[in-house]
Amino acid sequence: NAGVTQTPKFQVLKTGQSMTLQCAQDMNHEYMSWYRQDPGMGLRLIHYSVGAGITDQGEVPNGYNVSRSTTEDFPLRLLSAAPSQTSVYFCASTRSGRTDTQYFGPGTRLTVL
Amino acid sequence: GNSVTQMEGPVTLSEEAFLTINCTYTATGYPSLFWYVQYPGEGLQLLLKATKADDKGSNKGFEATYRKETTSFHLEKGSVQVSDSAVYFCALRSLTGANSKLTFGKGITLSVRP
């Protein structure tokens, strides 16, 4: 059982480049999220999805796009990378219940020069 | 809105010391409360949870009790080990379905010296 997988593990971009961070889960979870983790700021929610075809903005959505065409996949797109987007990105999934545990991927460390 | 407040860190302890990490929350409805742990270089994983008032979550020697009257969910361990060195996040989830989001505290780094 793979759980939540993310690729790549590390990425270096130049300012203005675009890229997609991949996330997949094999637990048939409805709910998927993207977070960024920065020193001293904890985890901040970027975008989330409550099911295929449904996405919504989180706390810090600017500069990021998402789509959810299947239950399994939830890619995060950086349209024009900026140094402020240097961070560690985590994808997570869960069933939608109030008591359900959220499962996290291993993270992608992104550096924008 | 929902919020989680954790004590300021980092925390450094000697092996076998007693650990308390404070967590208080503000939430609508009746939240579930969680502690997540992040070991160096890894993603977050669930440490323990409690889903209603007075519940005690426990795992790997860690405990936390859901205190509705003080809106707290403090994490404790009687005797820490070097392997407990990690970042600890308190979190809550208050609703089900489309409005259900996990709200995290800022996290606290624990270092345990041999």
Side-chain angles (χ1 to χ4, degrees):
Chain A
N1 191 346
V4 180
T5 57
Q6 291 182 240
T7 56
K9 290 183 74 71
F10 302 94
Q11 183 70 48
V12 179
L13 294 177
K14 295 181 180 177
T15 297
Q17 287 185 313
S18 63
M19 80 158 294
T20 299
L21 307 185
Q22 301 291 344
C23 174
Q25 53 92 10
D26 62 359
M27 296 174 282
N28 202 32
H29 286 165
E30 306 105 349
Y31 199 102
M32 296 185 74
S33 311
W34 276 102
Y35 296 88
R36 58 179 289 173
Q37 183 179 28
D38 302 292
M41 307 198 70
L43 286 162
R44 292 183 291 170
L45 182 65
I46 303 171
H47 285 286
Y48 66 99
S49 168
V50 299
I54 306 169
T55 63
D56 205 349
Q57 295 181 350
E59 183 184 353
V60 288
N62 292 341
Y64 307 95
N65 272 2
V66 292
S67 60
R68 184 99 179 268
S69 56
T70 67
T71 299
E72 294 78 18
D73 299 299
F74 191 44
L76 178 73
R77 279 181 285 278
L78 280 70
L79 307 172
S80 178
S84 62
Q85 294 178 304
T86 294
S87 188
V88 181
Y89 292 85
F90 289 101
C91 178
S93 77
T94 183
R95 291 195 296 260
S96 63
R98 179 182 62 84
T99 63
D100 291 321
T101 300
Q102 190 154 101
Y103 294 87
F104 285 81
T108 294
R109 184 173 293 275
L110 175 67
T111 301
V112 182
L113 303 175
Chain B
N2 296 340
S3 67
V4 176
T5 303
Q6 292 184 231
M7 59 184 278
E8 295 285 326
V11 173
T12 302
L13 296 174
S14 297
E15 201 164 27
E16 299 184 3
F18 183 83
L19 169 71
T20 300
I21 301 177
N22 289 342
C23 171
T24 57
Y25 68 89
T26 303
T28 56
Y30 301 95
S32 294
L33 302 173
F34 304 82
W35 276 101
Y36 283 82
V37 59
Q38 183 181 29
Y39 298 105
E42 299 183 11
L44 280 73
Q45 57 186 274
L46 180 71
L47 179 60
L48 55 83
K49 69 178 182 181
T51 59
K52 61 183 188 295
D54 300 324
D55 269 2
K56 178 186 283 188
S58 60
N59 186 25
K60 299 182 181 180
F62 290 88
E63 293 182 341
T65 301
Y66 187 142
R67 301 284 188 203
K68 195 169 190 303
E69 64 276 11
T70 55
T71 62
S72 64
F73 193 53
H74 304 323
L75 183 68
E76 296 183 335
K77 186 173 186 183
S79 176
V80 293
Q81 306 300 311
V82 172
S83 58
D84 294 326
S85 297
V87 182
Y88 291 82
F89 293 91
C90 186
L92 71 83
R93 196 173 189 189
S94 64
L95 296 171
T96 296
N99 292 318
S100 175
K101 294 190 285 288
L102 203 60
T103 301
F104 285 92
K106 291 190 184 301
I108 185 169
T109 300
L110 170 66
S111 298
V112 181
R113 297 185 299 242

